[in-house]
Amino acid sequence: MVEFRIDRRSGVATYLQIVQQAKQALRLGLLAPGDKLPTAKEVVAATAINPNTVLKAYRELDREGLVEARPGLGTFVRRSLARPQAAAGSPLRAELADWMGRARAAGLDREDVAALLASVLEEGYDGPAGTSGTAAR
């Protein structure tokens, strides 16, 4: 089961943080079709947020066709976003973990790494200065 973590300083709406974390778990294969999401009550107990916020996030995931609410039973994953290339044991993930170790050894902190990744991601998919990139999609 996924555990949601809320960063109140992020500037991202709480319900969107839940949506983003659920999608990340779906992409990484941590959640699969048929898996049950934590109840709103469980999320509230773990994060101290309003139950309506959890329900709003779950409605958004439902609207996108990723989960479905089953009255009296809970909210269940309808479809996955996982790709084998992003799975826990994939070579790409291992390479990224190795790179992360080198970045930390070089003295980069979390914000440095985030900025570097965002920059490379932007260039890889959008190209420098907003031009179309040549990276495979």
Side-chain angles (χ1 to χ4, degrees):
M1 187 182 292
V2 67
E3 290 184 25
F4 297 112
R5 301 188 193 293
I6 304 304
D7 181 357
R8 288 165 170 73
R9 296 172 288 154
S10 73
V12 176
T14 304
Y15 88 97
L16 283 178
Q17 290 183 49
I18 293 172
V19 170
Q20 290 168 349
Q21 290 174 38
K23 286 181 176 181
Q24 181 176 358
L26 288 165
R27 287 187 191 289
L28 296 175
L30 301 174
L31 285 174
D35 287 350
K36 184 179 177 187
L37 293 181
T39 66
K41 186 176 182 178
E42 291 169 336
V43 177
V44 168
T47 61
I49 61 174
N50 188 304
N52 290 327
T53 301
V54 180
L55 297 174
K56 182 176 181 179
Y58 285 10
R59 279 192 306 272
E60 176 65 19
L61 293 166
D62 186 28
R63 188 188 64 73
E64 293 182 28
L66 298 174
V67 303
E68 65 181 331
R70 297 180 191 160
L73 297 175
T75 303
F76 293 83
V77 174
R78 182 181 295 169
R79 69 181 175 93
S80 176
L81 297 174
R83 295 185 183 187
Q85 303 89 330
S90 76
L92 285 175
R93 185 176 174 93
E95 288 176 32
L96 188 55
D98 183 54
W99 177 86
M100 185 67 225
R102 291 194 313 273
R104 290 188 71 183
L108 297 179
D109 64 18
R110 182 181 297 267
E111 290 79 17
D112 296 330
V113 169
L116 184 56
L117 286 173
S119 172
V120 171
L121 186 66
E122 175 94 13
E123 289 174 12
Y125 283 95
D126 296 333
T131 62
S132 180
T134 58
R137 295 183 197 269

